Amino acid sequence: MGPSSSSADLSAEMEVDAFRRLFPLQFYERHLLESIRPDGRTHQQARDTTLALGAVASADGSALAKIGCTTMLAAIKMEVMTPTTDLPDEGNLTIEFHMPPICSPIVRPGKPADIAAVISKELSDTILSSGMINLKELSLVSGKTAWMAYLDIYCLDADGALFDAALLSAVAAFSHLQIPVVSVNDEGKVFIVSEEDKAGKPGNEPVNIDKRKLVLSNIPYSLTCLLHKNYILADPTAEEESIMETSLTVVLNSSRQLVSLYKPGGPVLAYTSALQDCVAMTMQRVKELQKILNEAISDMEVV
């Protein structure tokens, strides 16, 4: 290939890039007509997804989730609390979603991203309403002490479908969670037993001899879809989200039951078949995510 050919190829690439920047919607529509997206995926194809459990050694449970370039780090810290009088036999959990400036050029230093608070609430609503965690499992002494699970999720790279990746990291972190050993002192106060105490230093007998895991059921999984004209795009990138305004996030549990629907904006759905198609695509995605989570758990057990 001679210099003239290389120059022509470079010129063509520059023209394509310029067209993409100046007319992004038209650029995507040309690809959609060919049933392909600019990154090579089909309309219904999600990006490669990976999970790593135990990403934060100092946490009681943690996970790193990646969907394409979108990356989430979730970590859980357990603390002893006094349960409410209304629910004396239940613990509680609180979820915070963070978007530091490093995750995206649109997040400015010194000001929390508006979307962070929205995702925090959606995650809390989803996890609590799904029934994944039985809060009675977090009770220690009825009416006196229980566990508070603090889940923090940090977005390290925001390249679209943030809720999907955040929910996956949360589920994986709870799957990895090991509830600490606790003991009761002479005054009846419950406290966490350190490794040194377990190793033989003086102290009260622990209530539970070993760390234990939570029993999770009805685990929620989600898939965000973009709707544009007659097209439905699964697992959108940040670029796709920026140019197509109608999105729909479907949350199903591990039994393929509907947990919730999130539609943050855009016009009203023009046809119900679009919703049905999104649910069907989510069902397929649930199978994929279940397999990925089970493999991550197996890898952790081997280690």
Side-chain angles (χ1 to χ4, degrees):
M1 183 180 294
S4 59
S5 178
S6 299
S7 178
D9 291 342
L10 180 60
S11 177
E13 288 180 9
M14 291 177 65
E15 289 180 5
V16 170
D17 186 60
F19 181 73
R20 183 173 189 164
R21 291 174 180 274
L22 292 172
F23 307 102
L25 186 56
Q26 292 88 331
F27 174 82
Y28 267 86
E29 287 178 341
R30 286 190 179 184
H31 283 78
L32 296 181
L33 285 172
E34 303 297 328
S35 298
I36 193 106
R37 291 149 82 171
D39 60 9
R41 290 184 290 152
T42 63
H43 296 176
Q44 298 185 8
Q45 185 178 357
R47 292 169 290 177
D48 291 341
T49 303
T50 59
L51 269 179
L53 305 187
V56 182
S58 60
D60 296 309
S62 62
L64 181 71
K66 293 192 68 174
I67 300 179
C69 289
T70 301
T71 306
M72 300 288 171
L73 178 65
I76 303 171
K77 203 68 179 175
M78 305 294 288
E79 290 190 7
V80 175
M81 58 166 268
T82 301
T84 63
T85 54
D86 294 338
L87 301 169
D89 297 316
E90 291 188 7
N92 207 342
L93 63 91
T94 181
I95 300 173
E96 291 290 339
F97 180 74
H98 310 272
M99 292 187 70
I102 61 167
C103 76
S104 170
I106 65 172
V107 179
R108 309 304 302 171
K111 182 184 179 183
D114 294 337
I115 189 64
V118 174
I119 293 179
S120 291
K121 185 177 186 309
E122 290 178 353
L123 287 169
S124 297
D125 292 345
T126 297
I127 290 175
L128 289 172
S129 65
S130 69
M132 179 179 77
I133 298 172
N134 181 358
L135 295 179
K136 291 184 182 298
E137 268 200 85
L138 299 178
S139 177
L140 287 168
V141 179
S142 178
K144 294 183 178 180
T145 55
W147 286 113
M148 168 67 84
Y150 291 94
L151 170 62
D152 287 286
I153 301 173
Y154 294 87
C155 179
L156 305 182
D157 193 337
D159 189 27
L162 301 186
F163 178 82
D164 298 346
L167 179 60
L168 181 60
S169 71
V171 166
F174 277 113
S175 298
H176 175 254
L177 173 64
Q178 290 188 311
I179 298 179
V181 177
V182 294
S183 183
V184 181
N185 63 16
D186 296 334
E187 289 77 33
K189 182 178 180 182
V190 174
F191 61 94
I192 298 174
V193 178
S194 68
E195 292 298 324
E196 291 181 347
D197 292 332
K198 286 181 65 180
K201 287 194 173 184
N204 298 71
E205 283 295 318
V207 175
N208 49 315
I209 303 300
D210 296 307
K211 293 181 178 181
R212 65 180 178 88
K213 299 181 75 66
L214 279 178
V215 176
L216 305 181
S217 58
N218 299 318
I219 296 176
Y221 300 95
S222 66
L223 177 67
T224 296
C225 299
L226 285 182
L227 286 72
H228 178 69
K229 295 183 177 179
N230 292 325
Y231 302 110
I232 300 176
L233 306 183
D235 180 28
T237 62
E239 182 181 27
E240 290 171 334
E241 289 179 338
S242 69
I243 60 177
M244 301 179 197
E245 61 180 356
T246 304
S247 69
L248 178 68
T249 299
V250 180
V251 184
L252 302 178
N253 65 22
S254 46
S255 299
R256 315 296 194 274
Q257 296 171 321
L258 182 64
V259 176
S260 58
L261 294 172
Y262 295 110
K263 185 178 177 295
V268 176
L269 296 181
Y271 47 101
T272 57
S273 61
L275 175 58
Q276 295 171 343
D277 290 341
C278 289
V279 171
M281 292 160 65
T282 306
M283 287 185 177
Q284 182 59 41
R285 181 61 170 161
V286 167
K287 295 180 183 178
E288 297 172 1
L289 295 177
Q290 282 181 308
K291 181 179 179 182
I292 291 169
L293 178 59
N294 290 336
E295 289 175 348
I297 293 172
S298 297
D299 292 343
M300 193 69 190
E301 291 174 348
V302 170
V303 174

